[in-house]
Each structure stands twice: as C-alpha cells, then as structure tokens.
C-alpha cells in the first residue's frame, strides 16, 4: 500500500456549527499523530474544479477556530461536479467535471480526501469513491437526518438556539395572550422542532412526519383556553406538510421553508379570531459558536476520519453509535434517512406531557 502523505479537506452543503472543530481536529491529528500534510479545499467541491484557492493547512491555520461558527474553508450548497449546472450564452448547461476534480486533486498531491457534509455531499463523496478517489466522510447537518449516525454535529447548537427562542416567545405569548408560531429548520425531518418543542414546553408541534389538521390545532388551543391558558406556542418544522384545504374547503396555498408558519397562521387567524404572531428562526439556528457538545463531537469525528485515512479504510463515513466512534460504508450511510417515528417513545413522551401534533381531530 502506498502510504498516505497528504490529506485534502472538503466541506460541502450548508454550514453547520462544529465544522471548524472538525477541520481543526483533522489538521492537528494528521500533523501530530500521523505526520501527514493537509490541504484545505475552498468552497466545497467547487474548490476541486477551480483549485487555485487550495492551501496547505498548518497548526497556525486552525488556531483559534474551535469556538467559531461557519467554516474557515467557505462552502456552497450548489454544484455537483458530476452534473455541474451553469449558464452559458443565456442557456443552462450541465458539465461533468468529476475527472477534472480527480486530476486537480492529484496535481495538488492529495492522496486521500475527508469530505464533511450531509446527504447531498456524501452522495458526491460516494461517487468520487466509486471513481477511484480515496474518500472518508464526516456526517454534518443541523437537521440530524442521517440514519447511520446517532447524531450529526450542528444539531445540538441548532437545538439550543431553537429552544432558547421558544423560551423567549413563551414569555411574550403569555403576557399578550397570543398564539405564537415559531418556524424552525428541518427540510425533510422534524427533529429540531420535536426536540425544541419538548425542551421549550411547546403546546403544539408540527412536523413533516405527522400530518396535521387545522381543526385539531384549533381544538388544542381552545382546550387550553377553557383551562384558563389564553396563550399557545406552536413549533413548526419548515418541512411540515400542509393540508390541501382549510376547514372551509378553501385550498391552502403551497408554502415551504420561510413561509410555511405564516401560511398556517393565516388560516388559524380566520378560525380562531385571536392575535397570532409568527417568528421564522431561519439561519440564526445554523450560525454562531458551536456548543461544547458539537465541539467535542466535531473533534471526535475529525480525529476518527483521520485515523481511518491512516488505516487506508476508504469509502467509509465516521459515525456515532451507542456513544462510540464507529464507521459505516458510504453506501450504507446513504441507504436510509432518519425520520421521526410517530409511534416512538419520544413522540409518546411529548404527547404524555400534553403536547399535540395536530393529528387527533
Ligand atoms: O439541510 C440543512 C438546512 O439548514 C435545512 O434545514 C434548510 O432547509 C436548508 O439547509 C437551508 O439551506 P440554505 O442555506 O440554502 O437556505
């Protein structure tokens, strides 16, 4: 086996708190433990198509980044090198730049690449592995929807921000006797909404995995009012599926991330005639300093990924299983997404303490 002397780091997709701790861990452990060189690739896989920004990383390059949000490498959530879409002469064209990326990695002297990213980025990593690149993956997403790992880094920080926001809205909702909705991220899975809803004591939690009815949401709000609770807090996952029609049979307009909670609020206002306010948390929950949990998990993932490279175990993604660092093949990692099971213990716990998912009318 040819020894691995130089590692490249690519991070792809949206940023997530904990990316910098992962990068720091790879750089430090590669240098300290394995005597390897590390090259940082800028702006996701774009940096392998246009490699001019690639730079050797040293202890100095990662100094002070442990508590920093974002990623010092920059990132993008567009652009798959295998089918890169751009506009030429006003027309959309698609190029396969994957061979160019392989060639550029070789020119940079990179023997193996750590790819840090969510499912989209890991799909690209898997395709590069199949094409012959030495790849190890690190799972990243605030959505926590990769089944192969107990948890992804970034989720805990997002959850802390979302929970604090629910707490803050709670006091205003109570003071003003309002219904307040907070829309949190979670494009396909409702983990942030479910966890922040439980941690923040939300009264209604709406997630993509549990179809809701407006009547059930209104019934829950009215039932609270009958008990003298004149306010309600609703946590909405941005990916929640809207009913096709409102209770009067009027079509509910299509909505998605950024406006789904407002769309729900519009119908609730018509049904309840109450003061309703909406907060869309957005990218606030993805930015800022990672929590200690995400710094530690990021560090463990980074070290584990570097160790896999040193052992030349390629085509694998590091993961956390029963609290231990393990790894799975990239194929296995991409087999299944992790969604909320409506009959799970955690959903039962939320219901048992009085939360509703809007599914019981
Ligand atoms: O997948 C992570 C995520 O934060 C989703 O929860 C969210 O829908 C999406 O990224 C937002 O992406 P963008 O930064 O492109 O708006």
């Amino acid at each position: 086996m040819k020894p691995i002397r130089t590692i490249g780091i690519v991070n792809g997709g949206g940023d997530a708190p904990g990316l910098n701790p992962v990068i720091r861990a790879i750089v430090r452990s590669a240098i300290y433990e394995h005597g390897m060189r590390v090259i940082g690739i800028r702006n996701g896989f774009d940096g392998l198509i246009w490699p001019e920004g690639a730079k050797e990383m040293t202890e100095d390059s990662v100094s002070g980044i442990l508590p920093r949000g974002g990623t010092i490498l920059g990132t993008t959530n567009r652009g798959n090198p295998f089918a890169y879409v751009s506009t030429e002469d006003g027309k959309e064209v698609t190029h396969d730049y994957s061979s160019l990326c392989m060639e550029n990695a070789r020119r940079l002297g990179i023997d193996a690449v750590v790819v840090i990213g969510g499912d989209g980025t890991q799909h690209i990593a898997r395709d590069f592995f199949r094409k012959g690149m030495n790849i190890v993956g690190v799972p990243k997403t605030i959505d926590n929807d990769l089944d192969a790992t107990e948890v992804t880094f970034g989720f805990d920080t997002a959850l802390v921000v979302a929970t604090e926001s629910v707490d803050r809205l709670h006091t205003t909702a109570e003071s003003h006797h309002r219904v307040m909705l907070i829309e949190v991220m979670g494009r396909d899975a409702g983990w942030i909404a479910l966890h922040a809803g439980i941690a923040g004591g939300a009264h209604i939690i709406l997630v993509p995995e549990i179809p809701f009815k407006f009547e059930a949401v209104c019934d829950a709000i009215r039932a609270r009012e009958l008990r003298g609770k004149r306010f309600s807090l609703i946590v909405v996952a941005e990916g929640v599926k809207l009913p096709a029609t409102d209770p009067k049979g009027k079509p509910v307009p299509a909505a998605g991330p950024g406006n789904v909670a407002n769309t729900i609020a519009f119908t609730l206002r018509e049904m309840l005639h109450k003061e309703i306010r909406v907060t869309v948390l957005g990218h606030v929950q993805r930015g800022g300093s990672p929590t200690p949990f995400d710094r530690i998990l990021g560090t463990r993932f980074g070290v584990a990924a570097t160790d896999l490279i040193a052992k030349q175990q390629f085509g694998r993604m590091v993961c956390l299983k029963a609290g231990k660092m393990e790894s799975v093949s990239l194929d296995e990692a991409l087999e299944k997404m992790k969604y909320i099971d409506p009959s799970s213990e955690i959903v039962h716990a939320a219901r048992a303490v009085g939360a509703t998912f809007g599914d019981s009318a």
Side-chain angles (χ1 to χ4, degrees):
M1 270 193 303
K2 187 173 162 263
I4 302 296
R5 296 211 172 85
T6 305
I7 301 183
I9 308 178
V10 173
N11 57 219
D15 67 344
L19 267 170
N20 282 328
V22 176
I23 294 167
R24 173 180 176 272
I26 297 167
V27 171
R28 286 187 165 223
S29 65
I31 296 172
Y32 298 161
E33 298 260 301
H34 305 288
M36 294 170 179
R37 288 173 70 228
V38 183
I39 308 275
I41 308 296
R42 297 210 46 93
N43 303 321
F45 287 104
D46 279 10
L48 279 179
I49 304 175
W50 299 281
E52 296 73 23
K55 240 181 124 172
E56 174 152 5
M57 302 186 80
T58 62
E59 272 180 87
D60 275 356
S61 4
V62 294
S63 171
I65 68 169
L66 189 59
R68 269 172 61 185
T71 161
I72 58 166
L73 292 176
T75 190
T76 171
N77 53 7
R78 324 233 165 287
N80 174 354
F82 288 84
Y84 199 95
V85 181
S86 54
T87 311
E88 287 171 21
D89 300 327
K91 272 200 217 128
E92 215 171 72
V93 287
T94 305
H95 291 290
D96 181 351
Y97 287 132
S98 58
S99 299
L100 177 66
C101 290
M102 304 278 291
E103 181 50 32
N104 284 334
R106 254 193 308 271
R107 278 208 200 122
L108 290 165
I110 292 171
D111 302 310
V113 181
V114 181
V115 177
I116 316 165
D119 64 316
T121 305
Q122 297 304 340
H123 268 100
I124 300 171
R126 196 255 323 260
D127 292 346
F128 271 121
F129 174 65
R130 286 183 177 165
K131 208 176 159 79
M133 204 184 261
N134 294 331
I135 298 269
V136 165
V138 173
K140 171 236 65 163
T141 161
I142 65 162
D143 292 359
N144 198 28
D145 55 2
L146 291 178
D147 192 61
T149 185
E150 228 160 74
V151 64
T152 48
F153 72 84
F155 174 66
D156 186 66
T157 308
L159 177 59
V160 168
V161 175
T163 303
E164 191 192 335
S165 307
V166 175
D167 288 348
R168 285 174 186 272
L169 292 172
H170 216 125
T171 52
T172 299
E174 188 166 12
S175 306
H176 283 264
H177 319 297
R178 282 175 178 164
V179 173
M180 296 193 82
L181 291 89
I182 175 169
E183 179 179 320
V184 298
M185 281 185 169
R187 210 174 17 193
D188 304 306
W191 295 109
I192 299 176
L194 175 63
H195 284 243
I198 295 174
H203 311 109
I204 298 160
I205 303 170
L206 304 179
V207 294
E209 295 89 339
I210 305 179
F212 80 92
K213 289 188 180 134
F214 283 110
E215 294 89 332
V217 172
C218 291
D219 285 350
I221 293 168
R222 289 192 195 107
R224 281 179 54 74
E225 300 213 335
L226 285 174
R227 297 202 310 274
K229 305 278 192 188
R230 294 175 55 209
F231 71 101
S232 289
L233 263 167
I234 310 179
V235 180
V236 182
E238 64 180 4
V240 73
K241 314 270 182 310
L242 292 173
T245 53
D246 72 9
K248 290 188 186 140
K250 223 170 54 191
V252 175
N259 66 356
V260 74
N262 272 297
T263 305
I264 294 169
F266 184 85
T267 299
L268 293 183
R269 261 184 215 111
E270 288 191 334
M271 293 175 74
L272 292 165
H273 307 290
K274 268 190 77 72
E275 269 203 351
I276 299 185
R277 294 287 188 274
V278 176
T279 299
V280 179
L281 204 50
H283 293 80
V284 167
Q285 66 212 287
R286 231 169 64 187
S289 188
T291 57
F293 181 89
D294 280 336
R295 295 182 201 187
I296 295 166
L297 185 61
T299 300
R300 292 174 74 194
F301 275 159
V303 170
T306 312
D307 288 347
L308 277 185
I309 285 195
K311 287 189 251 160
Q312 307 215 10
Q313 291 184 10
F314 302 121
R316 302 192 70 74
M317 187 186 81
V318 296
C319 58
L320 188 74
K321 281 196 176 155
K324 290 208 175 92
M325 273 300 123
E326 292 193 11
S327 71
V328 288
S329 73
L330 281 169
D331 282 328
E332 211 182 310
L334 294 169
E335 230 162 55
K336 210 170 145 209
M337 300 300 285
K338 181 167 59 194
Y339 300 111
I340 297 169
D341 172 0
S343 58
S344 58
E345 170 275 325
I346 188 163
V347 171
H348 164 68
R351 290 190 200 275
V353 294
T356 167
F357 291 83
D359 57 338
S360 53

